[in-house]
Amino acid sequence: MEFAEESVGGGAEEEEAPQVISEVEKSRIGIMRAVVEREDPSAKDVDDFMIRRFLRARNLDVEKASKLFLKYLSWRRSFIPNGAISASEIPNDLAQQKLFMQGLDKMGRPIVVGYGARHNPSKGSLEEFKRFVVYSLDKICSRMPGGQEKFVCIADLEGWGYKSSDVRGYLAALSILQDCYPERLGKLFLIHVPYIFMTAWKMVYPFIDPKTKKKIVFVENKKLRTTLLEDIDESQLPDAYGGRLPLVPIEDC
């Protein structure tokens, strides 16, 4: 696998209109809703857009999407029995100040910035990190503007080294993102990537599903600002990358 500026998937994914539900999707949503509500009555509480995200994650295959969705409902009840993760449950991860939000990209998607070198798996536990991932994704989703379903992430790996390497944590986060928050990630920019990161990347890469791979872009340092400005207006770009907006810690969002 070569390090390159191009999208891992070989090209940008075609973005689907968030609030436009096609006739085919309407039909599949109706069928899937009947299936999942019969198996789990709590499915009645979710809207059609959530059902559609699971369908899109499985290429509108009702059987596969229903299985994934029912698994998600069961997972959420067991992993988040109180309905939400509180900051008091993830003190070590929050103390590392590694995840921020600020601004919107040109498509109106919230911008999330993560600093990989600040992650220290020796402080805390895998279970706490998984709770931190869920806490963060719930925060991000709650901040979605009306009519938007996805977010953009800038993963800054400057200074990343083996102290920050956490393949188990990366795989756990990937599983949560893909299986429990499908079709939420719009694009992931990997920036300031040190060569040694590719060792961990090669272990994680086989577990990334094809749809997610198309959303990942490695950015060359010399093209960082121009690449980000293609998707993000300067007025919305975080000040850490030459924009105007200060980063806000995820817990303050």
Side-chain angles (χ1 to χ4, degrees):
M1 185 187 319
E2 296 182 356
F3 173 83
E5 179 196 5
E6 299 302 321
S7 165
V8 169
E13 183 185 44
E14 182 179 347
E15 188 69 25
E16 294 157 310
Q19 294 296 307
V20 178
I21 299 179
S22 71
E23 290 304 316
V24 172
E25 287 178 332
K26 286 180 182 178
S27 174
R28 301 291 172 87
I29 289 169
I31 297 169
M32 177 169 162
R33 186 174 283 285
V35 171
V36 296
E37 288 182 2
R38 183 173 64 248
E39 295 292 326
D40 189 332
S42 69
K44 295 178 181 179
D45 298 330
V46 307
D47 61 25
D48 285 352
F49 294 109
M50 175 173 269
I51 296 289
R52 184 180 66 172
R53 287 194 295 273
F54 279 82
L55 277 165
R56 284 183 171 178
R58 291 296 180 266
N59 297 312
L60 302 186
D61 184 310
V62 172
E63 183 178 355
K64 291 180 179 179
S66 297
K67 182 178 179 180
L68 182 65
F69 183 69
L70 290 168
K71 181 180 177 182
Y72 157 76
L73 291 177
S74 177
W75 164 83
R76 189 147 189 117
R77 277 193 295 270
S78 61
F79 193 76
I80 319 169
N82 297 322
I85 301 292
S86 68
S88 63
E89 296 178 72
I90 49 174
N92 296 297
D93 281 286
L94 288 179
Q96 292 169 24
Q97 289 283 288
K98 56 192 173 188
L99 198 65
F100 301 79
M101 282 185 73
Q102 184 57 281
L104 306 172
D105 77 350
K106 293 178 180 178
M107 298 180 68
R109 301 176 296 192
I111 300 167
V112 179
V113 179
Y115 291 97
R118 298 184 185 181
H119 177 59
N120 188 342
S122 68
K123 295 184 178 180
S125 65
L126 178 61
E127 285 304 306
E128 180 180 342
F129 180 62
K130 286 160 68 174
R131 290 195 295 272
F132 172 74
V133 171
V134 173
Y135 170 89
S136 301
L137 286 168
D138 281 348
K139 277 270 192 176
I140 294 165
C141 292
S142 71
R143 300 278 295 184
M144 294 280 181
Q148 187 53 256
E149 297 183 80
K150 299 185 180 186
F151 68 94
V152 170
C153 182
I154 300 171
D156 192 331
L157 298 175
E158 186 170 17
W160 186 95
Y162 290 118
K163 181 181 178 181
S164 303
S165 183
D166 184 13
V167 173
R168 285 199 311 156
Y170 301 154
L171 290 174
L174 179 66
S175 176
I176 291 170
L177 177 67
Q178 293 183 160
D179 297 342
C180 303
Y181 297 81
E183 295 298 300
R184 283 299 198 181
L185 178 66
K187 183 175 282 189
L188 170 62
F189 295 98
L190 291 170
I191 69 173
H192 298 141
V193 183
Y195 189 75
I196 58 170
F197 174 75
M198 301 312 289
T199 303
W201 177 253
K202 288 176 181 177
M203 287 187 273
V204 174
Y205 186 80
F207 297 93
I208 305 175
D209 70 40
K211 282 181 171 286
T212 303
K213 286 176 181 175
K214 292 178 181 179
K215 301 171 183 177
I216 301 172
V217 181
F218 282 89
V219 184
E220 292 182 35
N221 290 344
K222 63 183 179 181
K223 297 181 180 180
L224 174 57
R225 182 173 168 79
T226 56
T227 300
L228 293 179
L229 286 175
E230 288 176 4
D231 285 61
I232 305 168
D233 189 81
E234 187 175 1
S235 66
Q236 295 293 306
L237 191 66
D239 57 6
Y241 305 109
R244 304 175 187 174
L245 297 181
L247 290 172
V248 178
I250 190 69
E251 64 269 27
D252 295 333
C253 293

